[in-house]
Amino acid sequence: MNQPIRLTRPMRPIFPILLSVIWMSLIFYFSSLPASSTGPDTLTFKVISKMIHFIIFGILSMLCLYSLKWRRPLQRTSIWVFILSLFLTIIYAITDEYHQSFSPGRYPSVKDIILDASGAIAFLGITYKLTGKRNNKYNQAIKTNRVK
């Protein structure tokens, strides 16, 4: 009775883009909150906040990657798609910091942009490394005609 929801072919490329836009909207919403509602001004909270920056923009970079790769498997995705995903994430981090400057008690920070870019580089770098190892196996399988 309960069958999994399957996306139709035309919907598949749109789904990652939709997830990216939703994720960007969430980032936009949370960066528009005034400083008084973001949490206490303690060292522990600041460390957790910076870790969250790192993770949130790492996830955004992955969503951008999946939006840009279209129907190709990650093993066959070009390095340029990874670089473009990183570029888009950094551009969004810059615009997010600018947007924060309009929120009461918040200010833009170059450190946050660097932290956001670091999260994107880490997530994309690990993904590229992991898929690169499989890429070699995929290429060997093509050469020996054993592609499934």
Side-chain angles (χ1 to χ4, degrees):
M1 284 242 163
N2 291 336
Q3 294 180 347
I5 298 172
R6 296 186 187 263
L7 297 175
T8 61
R9 271 224 183 265
M11 185 64 174
R12 284 185 188 157
I14 295 170
F15 190 67
I17 295 170
L18 184 62
L19 285 177
S20 299
V21 170
I22 290 170
W23 194 254
M24 288 178 180
S25 300
L26 286 171
I27 293 171
F28 184 87
Y29 170 74
F30 285 112
S31 67
S32 65
L33 295 175
S36 60
S37 65
T38 57
D41 194 22
T42 63
L43 179 61
T44 305
F45 180 78
K46 286 181 180 179
V47 169
I48 291 171
S49 172
K50 299 305 175 187
M51 288 171 50
I52 290 171
H53 259 271
F54 185 87
I55 293 168
I56 284 174
F57 280 87
I59 292 170
L60 178 61
S61 69
M62 296 304 295
L63 290 171
C64 287
L65 175 66
Y66 275 88
S67 296
L68 294 171
K69 76 174 188 72
W70 291 100
R71 293 186 177 142
R72 285 182 168 266
L74 273 176
Q75 298 88 346
R76 295 179 57 207
T77 303
S78 167
I79 183 71
W80 296 107
V81 176
F82 283 84
I83 292 170
L84 182 58
S85 300
L86 176 63
F87 178 73
L88 291 173
T89 304
I90 292 171
I91 293 296
Y92 191 77
I94 291 168
T95 59
D96 179 58
E97 288 301 316
Y98 177 70
H99 168 250
Q100 271 186 10
S101 67
F102 297 106
S103 300
R106 307 279 300 264
Y107 57 93
S109 169
V110 174
K111 290 179 188 176
D112 281 346
I113 295 170
I114 293 169
L115 192 62
D116 299 340
S118 299
I121 290 168
F123 277 59
L124 290 170
I126 290 169
T127 303
Y128 185 76
K129 259 314 206 194
L130 291 176
T131 58
K133 290 178 184 174
R134 286 186 278 151
N135 192 8
N136 293 337
K137 291 178 186 175
Y138 184 82
N139 288 335
Q140 289 172 355
I142 288 175
K143 290 176 185 174
T144 59
N145 294 323
R146 289 184 286 144
V147 177
K148 295 181 182 176

